[in-house]
Coordinates of all heavy atoms in Angstrom, one line a residue:
P110 N 4.9 -0.7 18.0 CA 4.3 -0.7 19.3 C 5.0 -1.4 20.4 O 4.9 -1.3 21.6 CB 2.9 -1.3 19.1 CG 3.0 -2.0 17.8 CD 4.1 -1.4 17.0
A111 N 6.0 -2.3 20.0 CA 6.8 -3.1 20.9 C 7.8 -2.1 21.6 O 8.3 -2.5 22.7 CB 7.5 -4.2 20.2
V112 N 8.2 -1.0 21.0 CA 9.1 -0.1 21.6 C 8.4 1.1 22.3 O 7.9 1.9 21.6 CB 10.1 0.5 20.5 CG1 11.1 1.4 21.1 CG2 10.8 -0.7 19.7
D113 N 8.4 1.0 23.6 CA 7.6 2.0 24.4 C 8.4 2.3 25.6 O 8.8 1.3 26.3 CB 6.2 1.5 24.7 CG 5.4 2.5 25.5 OD1 5.5 3.6 25.2 OD2 4.7 2.0 26.4
A114 N 8.7 3.5 25.9 CA 9.4 3.8 27.1 C 9.0 5.2 27.6 O 8.6 6.1 26.8 CB 10.9 3.8 26.8
R115 N 9.1 5.4 28.9 CA 8.8 6.7 29.5 C 9.6 6.8 30.8 O 9.9 5.8 31.5 CB 7.3 6.9 29.7 CG 6.6 5.8 30.4 CD 5.1 5.9 30.5 NE 4.6 6.0 29.1 CZ 3.7 7.0 28.7 NH1 3.3 7.9 29.5 NH2 3.3 7.0 27.5
A116 N 9.9 8.1 31.2 CA 10.6 8.3 32.5 C 10.1 9.7 33.0 O 10.0 10.7 32.3 CB 12.1 8.4 32.2
R117 N 9.7 9.6 34.3 CA 9.3 10.9 35.0 C 10.5 11.7 35.3 O 11.6 11.2 35.8 CB 8.6 10.6 36.3 CG 8.1 11.8 37.0 CD 7.0 11.6 38.0 NE 5.8 11.1 37.4 CZ 4.9 11.8 36.7 NH1 5.2 13.1 36.6 NH2 3.8 11.3 36.2
L118 N 10.4 13.0 35.0 CA 11.5 13.9 35.2 C 11.5 14.5 36.6 O 10.4 14.9 37.1 CB 11.4 15.1 34.2 CG 11.6 14.8 32.7 CD1 11.3 16.0 31.9 CD2 13.0 14.3 32.5
A119 N 12.6 14.4 37.3 CA 12.7 14.9 38.7 C 13.4 16.2 38.7 O 14.7 16.3 38.7 CB 13.5 13.9 39.6
L120 N 12.7 17.2 38.6 CA 13.2 18.6 38.5 C 12.9 19.4 39.8 O 11.8 19.2 40.4 CB 12.6 19.3 37.3 CG 13.0 18.7 35.9 CD1 12.1 19.3 34.8 CD2 14.4 18.7 35.7
P121 N 13.7 20.4 40.1 CA 13.4 21.3 41.3 C 12.1 22.0 41.1 O 11.6 22.3 40.0 CB 14.6 22.2 41.3 CG 15.6 21.8 40.3 CD 14.9 20.8 39.4
Q122 N 11.6 22.5 42.2 CA 10.3 23.2 42.2 C 10.4 24.5 41.4 O 9.4 25.1 41.0 CB 9.7 23.4 43.6 CG 9.2 22.2 44.2 CD 8.6 22.4 45.6 OE1 8.7 23.5 46.1 NE2 7.9 21.4 46.1
R123 N 11.6 25.1 41.4 CA 11.7 26.4 40.7 C 11.6 26.3 39.2 O 11.5 27.3 38.5 CB 13.0 27.1 41.1 CG 14.2 26.4 40.8 CD 15.4 27.0 41.6 NE 16.6 26.3 41.3 CZ 17.4 26.6 40.3 NH1 17.2 27.7 39.6 NH2 18.5 25.9 40.1
V124 N 11.5 25.0 38.7 CA 11.3 24.9 37.2 C 9.8 25.0 37.0 O 9.0 24.2 37.5 CB 11.8 23.5 36.7 CG1 11.4 23.2 35.3 CG2 13.3 23.4 36.9
E125 N 9.4 26.0 36.3 CA 8.0 26.3 36.1 C 7.4 25.5 35.0 O 6.2 25.2 35.0 CB 7.8 27.8 35.8 CG 8.1 28.7 37.0 CD 8.0 30.2 36.7 OE1 7.9 30.6 35.5 OE2 7.9 30.9 37.7
S126 N 8.1 25.3 33.9 CA 7.6 24.6 32.8 C 8.7 23.8 32.1 O 9.9 24.2 32.0 CB 6.9 25.5 31.8 OG 7.9 26.4 31.2
V127 N 8.2 22.7 31.5 CA 9.1 21.8 30.7 C 8.3 21.5 29.5 O 7.2 21.0 29.6 CB 9.5 20.5 31.4 CG1 10.4 19.7 30.5 CG2 10.2 20.8 32.7
D128 N 8.8 21.8 28.3 CA 8.1 21.4 27.1 C 9.1 21.2 25.9 O 10.2 21.3 26.1 CB 7.1 22.5 26.7 CG 7.7 23.9 26.4 OD1 8.9 24.0 26.4 OD2 6.9 24.8 26.3
G129 N 8.5 20.8 24.8 CA 9.3 20.6 23.6 C 9.4 19.1 23.2 O 8.8 18.3 23.9
A130 N 10.1 18.9 22.2 CA 10.3 17.5 21.7 C 11.5 17.4 20.9 O 12.1 18.4 20.4 CB 9.1 17.1 20.9
W131 N 12.1 16.2 20.8 CA 13.2 15.9 19.9 C 12.8 14.9 18.9 O 12.1 13.9 19.2 CB 14.4 15.3 20.8 CG 15.0 16.2 21.8 CD1 15.4 17.5 21.6 CD2 15.4 15.8 23.1 NE1 16.0 18.0 22.8 CE2 16.0 17.0 23.7 CE3 15.2 14.7 23.9 CZ2 16.5 17.0 25.0 CZ3 15.7 14.7 25.2 CH2 16.3 15.8 25.7
R132 N 13.4 15.0 17.7 CA 13.3 14.0 16.7 C 14.7 13.3 16.7 O 15.7 14.0 16.8 CB 12.9 14.5 15.4 CG 11.5 15.0 15.3 CD 11.2 15.4 13.9 NE 12.3 16.0 13.2 CZ 12.2 17.2 12.5 NH1 11.1 17.8 12.4 NH2 13.2 17.7 11.9
S133 N 14.7 12.0 16.5 CA 16.0 11.3 16.5 C 16.9 11.8 15.4 O 18.1 11.6 15.4 CB 15.8 9.8 16.4 OG 15.2 9.4 15.2
S134 N 16.4 12.3 14.3 CA 17.2 12.8 13.1 C 17.8 14.1 13.4 O 18.7 14.5 12.6 CB 16.3 12.8 11.9 OG 15.2 13.7 12.1
D135 N 17.5 14.8 14.5 CA 18.0 16.1 14.8 C 19.1 16.0 15.9 O 19.1 15.1 16.6 CB 17.0 17.1 15.3 CG 15.9 17.4 14.2 OD1 16.3 17.3 13.0 OD2 14.8 17.8 14.6
D136 N 19.9 17.0 16.0 CA 20.9 17.1 17.1 C 20.1 17.7 18.3 O 19.8 18.9 18.3 CB 22.1 18.0 16.7 CG 23.0 17.3 15.6 OD1 23.0 16.1 15.7 OD2 23.5 18.1 14.9
A137 N 19.9 17.0 19.3 CA 19.0 17.4 20.5 C 19.8 18.2 21.4 O 21.0 17.9 21.7 CB 18.4 16.1 21.1
V138 N 19.2 19.2 22.0 CA 19.7 20.0 23.1 C 18.6 20.4 24.1 O 17.4 20.3 23.8 CB 20.3 21.4 22.5 CG1 21.5 21.1 21.6 CG2 19.3 22.2 21.8
V139 N 19.1 20.7 25.3 CA 18.2 21.2 26.4 C 18.5 22.6 26.6 O 19.7 23.0 26.8 CB 18.4 20.4 27.7 CG1 17.5 20.9 28.8 CG2 18.2 18.9 27.5
L140 N 17.5 23.5 26.5 CA 17.7 24.9 26.7 C 17.0 25.3 28.0 O 15.8 25.0 28.2 CB 17.0 25.7 25.5 CG 17.0 27.2 25.7 CD1 18.4 27.8 25.7 CD2 16.1 27.8 24.5
V141 N 17.8 25.8 28.9 CA 17.2 26.2 30.2 C 17.4 27.7 30.3 O 18.5 28.3 30.2 CB 18.0 25.6 31.4 CG1 17.4 26.1 32.7 CG2 17.9 24.1 31.3

Side-chain angles (χ1 to χ4, degrees):
V112 180
D113 181 38
R115 53 188 57 234
R117 179 158 299 281
L118 295 172
L120 298 170
Q122 287 186 349
R123 59 194 180 92
V124 174
E125 293 178 343
S126 65
V127 182
D128 61 7
W131 293 315
R132 290 188 322 229
S133 64
S134 58
D135 294 336
D136 292 328
V138 295
V139 179
L140 173 64
V141 180

